[in-house]
Amino acid sequence: MLHTTLFDRRRPERQALRLGTGLGPHLSASLCALVALSGLFAAPASAQLELRPGPHSSSRALSGAASASVTTPRVTAELVALAPQGVGPGQPLWLGLSLRHQPGWHTYWKNPGDSGLPTQLSWQLPAGLSAGEIDWPVPHKIRIGQLANLGYENTVLLPVPVQVSRDWRATGDTLPVRLHAQWLVCREECIPEQADLALDVPVAGSTAAQAPAFAAARAAQPQALKGEHSARVAGQTLSLRIAGLPAAWRGQALELFPEDAEVLDIAAPSPARWDGAVWTTEVPLSAQRSSSPGQLTVVLPSPQAGSPAYRAQLSVQGEWPPVAAPSAVSPALSAALAANQATAARPEPLPASTPVGPLAWALALLGALVGGLVLNLMPCVFPVLAIKLLGFSRHSGADGARALRLQGLAYTTGVVLSFAALGGLMLALRAGGAQLGWGFQLQSPWVVAGLAALFTVIGLNLAGVFEFGHWLPSRVASAQARHPVADAAWSGVLAVAIASPCTAPFMGASLGFAVALPALQALAIFVALGLGMALPYLAVALLPGLSDGLARRLPKPGAWMQTFRQLMAFPMFGTVAWLVWVLGQQSGIDGAGSLLALLVALSALAWALSRPGAGRLGLSAVSAALLLWLGWALGPNLNPPPEAAPSAARNADAPAASGWAPWSEARAQALVAEGRPVFIDFTAAWCVTCQVNKRGTLANAALLKDMADQRVALLRADWTRQDPAITQALKALGRSGVPVYVVLRPGQAPVVLSELLSVAEVRQALALPPT
């Protein structure tokens, strides 16, 4: 579904672990259970369904098959029919689109007013049937700031008459009706939506369940007004005289809605008066008038409830002033409108995905493989690989080599299957309309807090504060030694879980590419990502030369391994500090402070459970009680309502402080329309690469000065919390995650820069002088 912000051409409207040998028994199974639990709430916390079956549709809608009704977060659209005497020549047949709007949202009339687009219907009917034009019900005026739109709120039915030819003969018991509908739904922001709807109308029986709705729609049609009407152009004003209106209307204030768009300024004050039975008014011409009609059709809504509206046709006298030159429309908006029109003209729905050529797919697989390799260098993943590789020093001989191969294959299987499962979940949610991308689980403060707790426990274990074997029955604690292959597979699952906060370079293009592919091709890219991450361990496990060489270069097992293990705790604690900062960006300083307090209590409980002697139970009980009390008291601070949570872009990137302003599609396109180049930083607090670029390239003083001298507008789109508008913008750019850097220039296509940003690349994209 195309999602972009649309602008009025005149005035823009805001539319728009068990980690390996030496870590303590059975850590992987215990911690993977925690990871699995956190995964249960990851998707619901951040997913926002954009399109789902409506109340009268079947489950086929989610799999791509058309149904009679669809529901988005803003509108429920339903295809309805009225054939009270069945379908046949000479029998009345009406079809229609019913739109039920959520509070605050509206769609548009045939003349949308100062902004917007009218709803468009493209029908597919059997031979011998032809659909007419929409019989538009009378709209009402919707004011947003200084603008005036004409449209519908609550529920509206757009009826369409259908003509059945005399020689038409039924070929079955039902008449198949297919409709491709497009509408623009707006509040302050605007979102283009579309749906493919299907309905089978009984041929012989009566279809009259929607008769009251069609009757109400007919009652809302304006009636033809007889009488002497006239209109005359005088300078920049059109004077109208309308006669024949009901006597009960006389003396009352009336509204006037022209059916022709971009002729009259309906938002401007229009003086009006009654001359006996004739109503006169003077309406300013639109400053962006695009036509000079010789005849003007206007609709006058009734000022009295229950009274019909009227439609008058007026011949225009006088000379129209020259029309205004069309103002420039941004390239992105032109492309969006062209795409909407092209889709509307297509009789068949677009396929959900398209296979690509072998070369493009191979490049995407290579990018994913390299991205997986780079993941091993991230601070939250490196300890896993390092400690796994240390295990090679304990294996020797044929049996040891065989055990290494089995564990290497098991670890790789765990990594690859975990990435495939995570990718499959994302693809399934997106296929159902969820607005999310790679890293979606970290947009939930609960997931961030859960990962911080997980890494705290891992760090405490690595530091030697406790051993899981002290907590568990001996049979459970010894399971790792009895099942080393299964333990290695669990280690792979856990490695993927703790790698999720670390968005590596080279992943953005491949994963953004993947979500537009057929399922099997897309999953192959996620498998390549997992294979890249597991490749170092797998290579050493399968190649005797590598494993023997590594074993020879490592010191003999001894006290140094315990020291190394404790040293690896500090990257984990560093990751915890970073996750606390991420949660602070999402939930504010109160959320970060509450998480720190809970982590301290969790650490105290882990320490108490590892104490020897009789005092262990008492200390553990007090620590557990403290943790539960803090969870009850401080837990709500971790995930406050979105309106109460601070905006990272607002707090950290205020324009006065750094030159950066929060991104919106409306702001970006308005700046481009002014002729200014725009640099957009799609970022998130949990994105490691984003923070590296932000504190490196994007903090370069010389670059920022040259940007300011060239009037480059700097916009930051913060995706730390789930944001459907940013998700759709990324999707339109062929990306599924952050970082993404985009340069917009008037009259040019958007330029997407690389994930690892350099000063030279930014200068080249913006045509700035090199340093």
Side-chain angles (χ1 to χ4, degrees):
M1 181 173 64
L2 177 67
H3 180 297
T4 185
T5 299
L6 298 183
F7 296 91
D8 171 58
R9 287 178 286 257
R10 298 136 291 179
R11 293 169 290 188
E13 174 183 356
R14 279 191 57 221
Q15 319 275 338
L17 251 260
R18 172 72 190 184
L19 300 179
T21 303
L23 276 183
H26 209 60
L27 178 56
S28 63
S30 303
L31 294 185
C32 281
L34 176 58
V35 174
L37 288 175
S38 63
L40 290 177
F41 56 77
S46 59
Q48 178 182 351
L49 293 181
E50 291 296 311
L51 188 66
R52 57 186 182 271
H56 302 288
S57 66
S58 70
S59 60
R60 295 179 300 154
L62 288 179
S63 62
S67 61
S69 172
V70 297
T71 297
T72 76
R74 296 157 287 274
V75 170
T76 294
E78 184 177 7
L79 173 59
V80 295
L82 176 65
Q85 301 173 28
V87 180
Q91 304 297 339
L93 173 60
W94 287 82
L95 300 174
L97 179 68
S98 173
L99 295 173
R100 185 167 68 251
H101 306 82
Q102 291 296 322
W105 294 89
H106 61 270
T107 53
Y108 292 94
W109 188 47
K110 61 192 304 182
N111 172 11
D114 284 337
S115 62
L117 292 171
T119 298
Q120 299 180 7
L121 306 180
S122 298
W123 298 95
Q124 284 181 270
L125 301 174
L129 283 81
S130 60
E133 298 297 323
I134 298 173
D135 276 357
W136 294 92
V138 176
H140 65 275
K141 187 177 291 186
I142 304 168
R143 289 194 174 272
I144 300 179
Q146 299 299 314
L147 306 181
N149 294 333
L150 300 176
Y152 308 101
E153 297 173 309
N154 302 318
T155 299
V156 64
L157 173 61
L158 304 179
V160 173
V162 178
Q163 181 70 36
V164 182
S165 65
R166 293 185 177 182
D167 56 354
W168 178 82
R169 294 294 181 270
T171 58
D173 294 335
T174 60
L175 174 74
V177 176
R178 303 295 180 262
L179 170 65
H180 180 80
Q182 289 181 293
W183 59 90
L184 182 68
V185 58
C186 299
R187 188 168 51 188
E188 290 182 343
E189 67 275 23
C190 284
I191 300 175
E193 295 183 336
Q194 58 184 320
D196 290 287
L197 304 172
L199 183 66
D200 292 330
V201 181
V203 172
S206 174
T207 301
Q210 298 292 333
F214 278 94
R218 282 196 298 272
Q221 300 296 318
Q223 298 181 7
L225 181 64
K226 299 179 180 180
E228 297 294 330
H229 319 305
S230 64
R232 177 172 293 277
V233 178
Q236 294 296 324
T237 301
L238 184 69
S239 299
L240 300 95
R241 292 178 57 85
I242 299 177
L245 293 169
W249 288 20
R250 295 176 189 174
Q252 300 194 47
L254 304 182
E255 289 187 311
L256 179 143
F257 301 156
E259 290 190 355
D260 295 284
E262 297 183 341
V263 174
L264 302 181
D265 187 351
I266 62 172
S270 302
R273 67 181 185 277
W274 285 90
D275 290 338
V278 178
W279 181 72
T280 65
T281 184
E282 296 180 355
V283 184
L285 303 183
S286 171
Q288 304 299 326
R289 181 172 53 83
S290 58
S291 63
S292 303
Q295 189 174 62
L296 190 69
T297 302
V298 297
V299 171
L300 293 95
S302 172
Q304 302 170 336
S307 177
Y310 287 93
R311 184 172 181 264
Q313 292 184 329
L314 302 89
S315 296
V316 181
Q317 307 298 321
E319 184 176 351
W320 290 93
V323 298
S327 53
V329 179
S330 70
L333 177 56
S334 298
L337 294 174
N340 276 354
Q341 293 172 352
T343 302
R346 250 182 229 111
E348 296 295 335
L350 289 171
S353 56
T354 305
V356 296
L359 178 60
W361 189 39
L363 290 175
L365 290 174
L366 179 61
L369 187 72
V370 173
L373 281 168
V374 176
L375 271 177
N376 289 292
L377 303 178
M378 296 298 172
C380 52
V381 182
F382 178 73
V384 181
L385 181 64
I387 294 175
K388 294 295 294 182
L389 293 177
L390 281 182
F392 292 136
S393 64
R394 300 197 175 205
H395 295 274
S396 61
D399 291 341
R402 180 177 180 275
L404 277 179
R405 287 195 298 271
L406 289 176
Q407 291 183 36
L409 291 171
Y411 174 79
T412 302
T413 301
V415 171
V416 170
L417 289 182
S418 298
F419 266 113
L422 187 59
L425 174 63
M426 188 185 81
L427 292 172
L429 291 174
R430 289 188 66 144
Q435 294 299 296
L436 45 79
W438 186 252
F440 65 94
Q441 66 273 33
L442 291 173
Q443 294 174 330
S444 165
W446 292 116
V447 175
V448 173
L451 287 171
L454 173 64
F455 291 172
T456 299
V457 172
I458 294 172
L460 293 173
N461 178 262
L462 290 171
V465 173
F466 73 93
E467 297 290 345
F468 275 94
H470 296 164
W471 299 357
L472 303 174
S474 59
R475 180 174 179 82
V476 176
S478 62
Q480 178 266 342
R482 291 184 286 108
H483 305 288
V485 174
D487 182 75
W490 277 116
S491 296
V493 175
L494 185 58
V496 173
I498 67 173
S500 60
C502 303
T503 303
F506 314 113
M507 290 170 56
S510 294
L511 294 178
F513 184 69
V515 298
L517 292 175
L520 290 179
Q521 284 187 324
L523 286 177
I525 291 180
F526 288 100
V527 168
L529 179 62
L531 186 60
M533 181 177 171
L535 194 56
Y537 186 78
L538 180 64
V540 176
L542 294 183
L543 300 177
L546 287 177
S547 58
D548 292 343
L550 180 62
R552 285 195 301 269
R553 286 170 174 78
L554 289 174
K556 292 183 179 181
W560 72 270
M561 296 187 70
Q562 182 66 15
T563 302
F564 183 83
R565 170 190 168 181
Q566 293 174 357
L567 180 63
M568 288 298 99
F570 292 97
M572 290 297 172
F573 290 142
T575 304
V576 172
W578 168 58
L579 287 169
V580 171
W581 176 77
V582 170
L583 190 125
Q585 300 296 303
Q586 295 174 327
S587 303
I589 190 64
D590 288 344
S594 298
L595 179 57
L596 283 173
L598 290 168
L599 294 179
V600 170
L602 177 64
S603 301
L605 177 59
W607 171 81
L609 289 171
S610 66
R611 292 295 86 199
R616 171 185 175 184
L617 290 179
L619 284 172
S620 299
V622 172
S623 299
L626 176 63
L627 180 60
L628 290 174
W629 179 79
L630 287 175
W632 174 81
L634 302 179
N637 293 336
L638 301 182
N639 189 22
E643 60 272 14
S647 165
R650 184 174 63 244
N651 292 348
D653 305 311
S658 64
W660 292 90
W663 169 89
S664 72
E665 184 73 16
R667 174 176 286 178
Q669 299 301 342
L671 290 167
V672 172
E674 293 174 7
R676 297 182 61 182
V678 177
F679 182 90
I680 306 175
D681 173 16
F682 290 90
T683 185
W686 40 262
C687 167
V688 175
T689 312
C690 301
Q691 305 311 316
V692 171
N693 290 332
K694 185 183 295 184
R695 286 156 178 76
T697 298
L698 297 182
N700 184 280
L703 176 62
L704 292 174
K705 181 179 182 302
D706 288 347
M707 284 180 165
D709 292 342
Q710 297 299 319
R711 298 184 67 247
V712 177
L714 304 179
L715 302 182
R716 185 155 280 158
D718 192 279
W719 208 38
T720 300
R721 276 200 172 207
Q722 201 272 342
D723 188 323
I726 295 178
T727 305
Q728 286 287 357
L730 291 172
K731 182 179 178 182
L733 294 168
R735 292 295 187 268
S736 182
V738 290
V740 173
Y741 305 100
V742 181
V743 171
L744 303 179
R745 297 176 66 86
Q748 299 181 17
V751 176
V752 181
L753 309 184
S754 60
E755 285 88 350
L756 281 177
L757 202 59
S758 68
V759 172
E761 183 181 14
V762 177
R763 287 184 175 278
Q764 181 179 3
L766 290 168
L768 299 176
T771 53

